[in-house]
């Protein structure tokens, strides 16, 4: 019997490129289940990605897709949302793609509060290019560019985007995918910039360098290190070191959304100049 998510998959392109045990497919499947649940159609849904293992999602998803350029997925998605405000626009990025090369686009998309849903697939490494350290890699972890262990402090992506103005921020893991799926659903329903970080295993370029080639071990480690937002609130910084704090970490509902504010402002100017009619329905 065909899986429901096949509706949104290019099954003729399978098998996929991802390594056995890679967590990317787990999160992409969760997104597709939510898309079905929310009644999305391929005609009004666009998925944009950058470059890297996670961005290959666009090759298999059968919706409107743009496999764009490294770090620029949010810029492309912003253009799509401005031109087609009623479309569901979703962005898949990796941690290197989204927070290093695309870090500037990320903070400004947050600041604008444009109605996009950004799912960052955080495997703490540059997988596709051969295991270089990424800005979310923990201190001491090994990479091809940190053979003696990383000495750079990692970004806490959720705190970063909250500080930059994101109005929905959540973190989940591939190990607890049903919870992450719920966060993706909430993010897609949020009327503003929604950011979901999904921590997931890359056994090939990350795990084997940390002595965890076995993906089951990696998923067990994710589970063991996960603490809910509620539990984390009662923990000291030392106790929280190395933990993955999960949950909806931040939510604001009354912040003006960028596309709508921009359209209203542009049409107010036009009306003032021409005394013309209100915003056309298709631009609302
Ligand atoms: S290199 Fe890592 S992230 Fe890339 S497909 Fe393989 S396991 Fe997944």
């Amino acid at each position: 019997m065909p899986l429901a998510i096949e509706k949104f998959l290019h099954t003729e392109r399978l098998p996929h490129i991802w390594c056995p045990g890679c967590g990317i497919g787990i999160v992409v499947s969760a997104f597709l289940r939510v898309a079905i649940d929310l009644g999305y159609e391929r005609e009004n849904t666009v998925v944009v990605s950058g470059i890297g293992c996670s961005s290959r999602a666009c090759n298999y998803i059968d919706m409107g897709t743009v496999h764009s350029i490294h770090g620029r997925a949010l810029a492309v998605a912003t253009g799509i949302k401005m031109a087609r405000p009623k479309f569901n626009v979703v962005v898949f990025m990796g941690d290197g793609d989204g927070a290093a090369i695309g870090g500037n686009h990320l903070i400004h998309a947050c600041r604008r509060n444009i109605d996009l849903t950004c799912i960052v697939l955080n495997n703490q490494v540059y997988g596709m290019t051969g295991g270089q350290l990424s800005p979310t890699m923990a201190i001491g972890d090994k990479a091809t560019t940190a053979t003696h262990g990383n000495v750079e402090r990692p970004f806490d992506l959720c705190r970063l985007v909250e500080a930059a103005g994101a109005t929905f921020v959540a973190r989940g893991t591939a190990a607890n995918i049903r919870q992450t799926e719920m966060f993706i659903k909430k993010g897609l329903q949020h009327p503003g910039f929604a950011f979901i970080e999904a921590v997931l295993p890359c056994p090939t370029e990350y795990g084997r360098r940390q002595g965890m080639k076995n993906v089951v071990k990696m998923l067990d480690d994710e589970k063991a290190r996960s603490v809910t937002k509620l539990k984390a609130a009662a923990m000291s910084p030392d106790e929280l070191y190395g933990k993955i704090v999960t949950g909806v970490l931040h939510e604001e509902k009354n912040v003006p959304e960028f596309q709508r504010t921009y359209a209203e402002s542009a049409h107010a100017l036009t009306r003032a100049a021409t005394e013309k009619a209100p915003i056309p329905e298709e631009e609302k």
Side-chain angles (χ1 to χ4, degrees):
M1 195 173 132
L3 296 169
I5 60 168
E6 286 186 1
K7 171 182 176 185
F8 287 134
L9 277 177
H10 281 294
T11 51
E12 77 283 4
R13 294 184 187 169
L14 299 176
H16 56 69
I17 195 176
W18 297 310
C19 309
C22 177
I24 293 170
I26 298 173
V27 181
V28 173
S29 304
F31 160 68
L32 295 180
R33 286 194 293 273
V34 174
I36 289 167
D37 195 23
L38 294 178
Y40 284 12
E41 294 297 338
R42 58 172 63 75
E43 290 75 18
N44 62 9
T45 307
V46 182
V47 180
V48 185
S49 66
I51 295 294
C53 295
S54 56
S55 297
R56 287 293 185 129
C58 274
N59 295 44
Y60 307 112
I61 294 174
D62 186 9
M63 294 170 167
T65 54
V66 184
H67 188 174
S68 71
I69 48 176
H70 215 177
R72 310 293 180 248
L74 279 168
V76 174
T78 297
I80 293 168
K81 189 68 185 180
M82 293 302 282
R84 291 286 184 273
K86 289 194 172 162
F87 278 18
N88 311 302
V89 185
V90 181
V91 179
F92 275 105
M93 303 193 297
D95 41 305
D97 182 39
I101 295 119
N104 221 356
H105 289 290
L106 177 63
I107 57 174
H108 291 287
C110 294
R111 178 175 67 87
R112 291 187 192 107
N113 193 35
I114 186 162
D115 185 20
L116 303 173
T117 301
C118 175
I119 303 171
V120 166
L121 301 155
N122 180 8
N123 57 15
Q124 302 117 78
V125 77
Y126 283 86
M128 184 165 278
T129 49
Q132 295 85 359
L133 77 88
S134 98
T136 57
M137 182 171 267
I139 290 177
D141 279 356
K142 297 211 169 74
T144 51
T145 47
T147 50
H148 299 290
N150 174 32
V151 293
E152 298 180 15
R153 287 188 302 162
F155 272 144
D156 178 329
L157 290 182
C158 289
R159 287 177 65 195
L160 175 76
V161 298
E162 180 183 342
T167 51
F168 179 91
V169 182
R171 184 188 287 117
T173 63
N176 190 355
I177 195 60
R178 290 296 171 192
Q179 184 194 51
T180 305
E181 191 171 320
M182 185 179 72
F183 299 153
I184 292 173
K185 186 172 184 182
K186 281 176 184 271
L188 289 167
Q189 292 173 313
H190 176 76
F193 189 83
F195 179 90
I196 298 108
E197 177 185 347
V199 179
L200 53 86
C202 164
T204 306
E205 294 296 350
Y206 178 83
R208 70 192 169 108
R209 289 196 175 83
Q210 325 310 328
M212 283 195 294
K213 194 176 172 186
N214 181 323
V215 74
V216 176
K217 203 170 170 190
M218 294 188 79
L219 290 167
D220 283 347
D221 176 66
E222 266 181 24
K223 274 189 204 158
R225 290 192 296 120
S226 295
V227 288
T228 62
K229 178 186 167 184
L230 203 64
K231 271 192 186 165
M235 292 168 73
S236 69
D238 279 352
E239 288 170 324
L240 278 173
Y241 187 79
K243 296 285 189 292
I244 304 169
V245 180
T246 61
V248 175
L249 305 176
H250 177 73
E251 192 170 12
E252 285 176 90
K253 291 206 167 134
N254 297 320
V255 179
E257 191 278 325
F258 177 72
Q259 183 283 324
R260 190 165 176 79
T261 309
Y262 185 91
E264 282 169 0
S265 145
H267 282 279
L269 279 175
T270 308
R271 273 203 303 282
T274 63
E275 295 183 359
K276 274 202 174 159
I279 308 172
E281 200 52 39
E282 67 277 11
E283 289 183 29
K284 282 184 184 169

